[in-house]
Amino acid sequence: AAGNVGPKVAAIVDKVAELTLLETSQLVQALKTKFNITEAIQVAAGSGAPAAGAAAPAEEKAAEKTEFTVKLEKIDPAQKAKVIREIKNLIPDMNLVAAKKFVEGAPKVIKESVPKAEAEKIKKALQAFGATVVLE
């Protein structure tokens, strides 16, 4: 856990760090629903997602693109198995065979209309396995 946070918050941060990308996305959605948080409230409050870096002024936030399409362009053949496993974890209800066909059929859209922080997280995770990922 980072910074000056209490032990309770530090424990939660450590638990969240163990989640897959899909589970993290589900957690974010559940928290938004539980606390009735909308994107408009976040922009008005000037608080961006922590992974997105420093918060920008509200006018700049409004003009900035907030939803992205994450697209797998190509993969490193030597690390194909790792990319397939990650894709299987990212896309709900996808089995290993479907994930293999998906990866072999690149370029393919992984997810559409995802928040910037989640899109960056997916991109970073797949790039770690030698995949070329584009945010549109």
Side-chain angles (χ1 to χ4, degrees):
N4 299 330
V5 296
K8 194 173 183 180
V9 173
I12 293 170
V13 170
D14 290 339
K15 282 289 185 194
V16 169
E18 296 171 8
L19 298 176
T20 65
L21 290 175
L22 177 62
E23 291 168 332
T24 304
S25 173
Q26 291 170 342
L27 172 64
V28 169
Q29 288 305 110
L31 288 172
K32 284 180 179 179
T33 302
K34 173 88 174 167
F35 297 109
N36 197 23
I37 297 171
T38 63
E39 299 300 321
I41 292 172
Q42 291 177 349
V43 171
S47 64
E59 303 85 40
E60 199 174 304
K61 274 283 195 198
E64 187 180 318
K65 187 173 178 182
T66 57
E67 290 192 339
F68 293 84
T69 298
V70 184
K71 187 175 181 182
L72 175 66
E73 286 291 320
K74 60 183 179 179
I75 61 162
D76 175 5
Q79 298 199 46
K80 182 172 152 184
K82 292 178 183 174
V83 174
I84 290 170
R85 277 195 299 271
E86 188 62 27
I87 290 292
K88 182 180 171 291
N89 290 334
L90 287 172
I91 302 175
D93 304 325
M94 184 175 278
N95 64 30
L96 202 54
V97 174
K100 182 178 185 280
K101 287 180 182 175
F102 182 92
V103 169
E104 289 172 346
K108 291 259 190 170
V109 172
I110 300 168
K111 283 194 171 187
E112 294 180 322
S113 302
V114 292
K116 183 176 182 177
E118 183 182 349
E120 290 289 343
K121 190 174 179 183
I122 293 168
K123 181 179 179 181
K124 189 174 181 181
L126 288 169
Q127 283 178 333
F129 298 125
T132 304
V133 179
V134 177
L135 302 182
E136 298 174 338

